[in-house]
Amino acid sequence: MSTSRDHVEILDSSNSSTDKVEINQEDGEVDVDKNIPEGGHTMPSSYVEPFVGLEFDDVEDALSCYKAFSRRAGISIRTNHTVLSSMDKSLIGVEYVCSIEGFCRYNLKLIERARPKAPETKCECKVMMTIKKNGSKWIVSKFVLQHNHELLTPRSTSLLCGHRWVTPTQKNLIHTLNESAIPTRKIMSILSKEHDGDYNIGCIPKDIHNYLGNGRKQLLEEGDAQKLYEYFLESKRNNLGFVYLIQVDADGSMGNCFWADGKSQAAYQYFGDVVIFDATYLTNRYKMPFVPFTGINHHHQSVMFGCALLINETAESYTWLLKTWLEAMLGCAPSTIITNDDKSMAKAIVDVLPNTTHKLCLWHLLQKVPEHLAHVHNKYP
């Protein structure tokens, strides 16, 4: 985008008689200009900067064009709202805006937080493109270049949410490496070497976590998830102290789940000063980490304080699990918690158990000695 066009707003003033209904928008109703051009310029297959009157064959072509433009311009985009026909409810208009357009809702700012407030990410950027359907074509009816924030370089823009995706080739490689128990950080390292740098991969570790998590959820057949739920209901009827919690996403698929019985809660009251939090069990058919909370009783025997199945090993999943487990244990935090060396797990512990001492498991440390200190290990076996 050239400097001379950074603050130019281009509007159209042609007429059209297409019927419309209210806009589906979270913040309320917004009137859409009914004017679209009678004719336009056809979108070529190569890159072109959008302009009022530019024609597309379908919505996907328009989105691809605007994404290519926004990537070169140094911004990320999102769909702000859509317009439906009053006749058959079909899509007849879409508005795309900058990903940081708008502002934070006022009531959210009133919420008291125990930790420092997150920095503001919205800046009411005016960059936008509106397309409307005219017959069988989609035409750009409004195009605004005005922005009020710093633009990124095309290299850095590849890491923005709107420009990231996992390609089919990458999915095949990720699936193969995951089947071999290769952790996400090493998968990212392999992808970085294949693409000559992190900026050329096209995705970040979170995208790989999401892809693997979605694959695990798809493996959960309806019968299996239903049987697990029925087992929890039956256990709750037979054990008054049994507690469970299952996360369900917007699609109705099962997410993380946690359960603990009355014996686990009773044992925790006596032996819960030191807890082992282990997420290294991946032997189930769904590749979902099995996370048990264990401790040691006065006979030096292992006792269970609860169990969980997670869809991924992100800080968000661990945070949800620790909060759920702590609530099941009546809010009594342990004095010490022992884990393996995992950054996501460590972050969740700091957030949920700030007064608990975090220790690393000696067994896991010794397992990493040959890998990271091979020269010393070979010299002094």
Side-chain angles (χ1 to χ4, degrees):
M1 189 190 313
S2 61
T3 306
S4 61
R5 299 188 62 183
D6 283 350
H7 302 282
V8 177
E9 179 173 346
I10 307 175
L11 302 177
D12 180 67
S13 59
S14 301
N15 296 322
S16 176
S17 58
T18 306
D19 294 331
K20 300 174 177 62
V21 296
E22 63 183 15
I23 296 172
N24 303 327
Q25 185 182 19
E26 185 178 353
D27 296 334
E29 298 182 359
V30 176
D31 293 332
V32 176
D33 184 10
K34 296 183 179 180
N35 302 319
I36 58 176
E38 294 294 333
H41 303 272
T42 303
M43 162 66 182
S45 58
S46 59
Y47 167 80
V48 63
E49 180 175 327
F51 54 88
V52 172
L54 180 62
E55 282 189 356
F56 300 94
D57 292 331
D58 50 45
V59 177
E60 289 73 19
D61 286 344
L63 179 58
S64 298
C65 175
Y66 197 41
K67 273 191 173 182
F69 165 76
S70 63
R71 182 163 183 169
R72 294 195 179 201
I75 61 174
S76 176
I77 62 170
R78 62 178 175 84
T79 301
N80 190 33
H81 58 248
T82 57
V83 186
L84 304 179
S85 170
S86 60
M87 302 296 294
D88 55 4
K89 305 299 182 182
S90 61
L91 182 67
I92 59 173
V94 184
E95 180 180 277
Y96 303 106
V97 297
C98 179
S99 60
I100 58 176
E101 179 271 343
F103 54 89
C104 185
R105 290 179 179 269
Y106 181 72
N107 59 345
L108 294 179
K109 296 181 180 179
L110 297 179
I111 299 178
E112 296 183 0
R113 299 186 181 184
R115 52 187 179 181
K117 292 183 179 180
E120 290 283 355
T121 57
K122 303 292 184 179
C123 68
E124 302 186 48
C125 179
K126 303 299 182 182
V127 172
M128 66 175 296
M129 184 181 81
T130 302
I131 59 172
K132 299 178 183 179
K133 193 171 185 180
N134 186 21
S136 61
K137 298 291 186 178
W138 289 84
I139 301 177
V140 177
S141 61
K142 186 176 182 181
F143 184 55
V144 183
L145 293 173
Q146 180 181 350
H147 63 82
N148 58 356
H149 58 89
E150 183 180 355
L151 302 178
L152 300 178
T153 63
R155 184 183 183 189
S156 300
T157 307
S158 63
L159 300 180
L160 293 177
C161 182
H163 300 298
R164 299 196 319 259
W165 66 88
V166 182
T167 65
T169 303
Q170 291 174 339
K171 289 179 180 180
N172 292 334
L173 178 58
I174 291 171
H175 179 73
T176 302
L177 296 176
N178 182 63
E179 288 292 326
S180 302
I182 305 297
T184 303
R185 63 180 183 275
K186 291 188 177 180
I187 293 178
M188 279 298 297
S189 178
I190 294 172
L191 291 175
S192 178
K193 291 180 180 179
E194 278 202 348
H195 294 81
D196 297 326
D198 295 341
Y199 288 98
N200 301 321
I201 298 176
C203 61
I204 60 176
K206 183 177 180 180
D207 300 321
I208 297 179
H209 275 300
N210 292 338
Y211 168 69
L212 294 175
N214 291 335
R216 289 164 186 155
K217 286 194 293 184
Q218 290 172 1
L219 285 173
L220 273 171
E221 301 173 359
E222 183 179 353
D224 295 334
Q226 185 63 30
K227 287 180 181 178
L228 179 63
Y229 177 64
E230 292 174 356
Y231 168 77
F232 286 159
L233 292 178
E234 183 68 20
S235 299
K236 192 171 183 63
R237 283 193 292 266
N238 299 331
N239 185 348
L240 296 179
F242 186 86
V243 294
Y244 71 93
L245 187 62
I246 302 176
Q247 276 188 324
V248 180
D249 61 17
D251 299 327
S253 301
M254 190 190 84
N256 303 317
C257 66
F258 165 82
W259 69 96
D261 58 13
K263 291 183 180 180
S264 298
Q265 295 170 313
Y268 181 77
Q269 301 304 316
Y270 293 100
F271 313 112
D273 51 341
V274 178
V275 174
I276 301 172
F277 182 39
D278 193 357
T280 58
Y281 300 96
L282 283 171
T283 56
N284 58 82
R285 60 176 290 195
Y286 301 119
K287 304 297 181 181
M288 295 176 69
F290 172 69
V291 186
F293 293 87
T294 57
I296 305 296
N297 63 13
H298 56 297
H299 294 298
H300 300 285
Q301 298 172 331
S302 296
V303 289
M304 193 75 69
F305 299 143
C307 305
L309 284 172
L310 302 180
I311 59 173
N312 54 44
E313 298 179 80
T314 61
E316 291 78 11
S317 292
Y318 285 133
T319 298
W320 174 88
L321 175 57
L322 287 175
K323 287 181 178 179
T324 304
W325 173 75
L326 191 61
E327 183 178 353
M329 299 299 120
L330 306 178
C332 182
S335 301
T336 302
I337 188 167
I338 301 175
T339 71
N340 61 319
D341 185 18
D342 187 280
K343 293 181 180 179
S344 299
M345 194 180 293
K347 183 179 183 299
I349 291 173
V350 171
D351 292 340
V352 182
L353 304 171
N355 298 321
T356 298
T357 303
H358 182 198
K359 301 288 187 181
L360 298 180
C361 176
L362 179 60
W363 184 86
H364 287 100
L365 290 177
L366 293 177
Q367 292 297 309
K368 292 182 178 295
V369 168
E371 178 182 354
H372 299 284
L373 296 174
H375 60 289
V376 179
H377 184 265
N378 294 332
K379 187 176 181 179
Y380 305 100

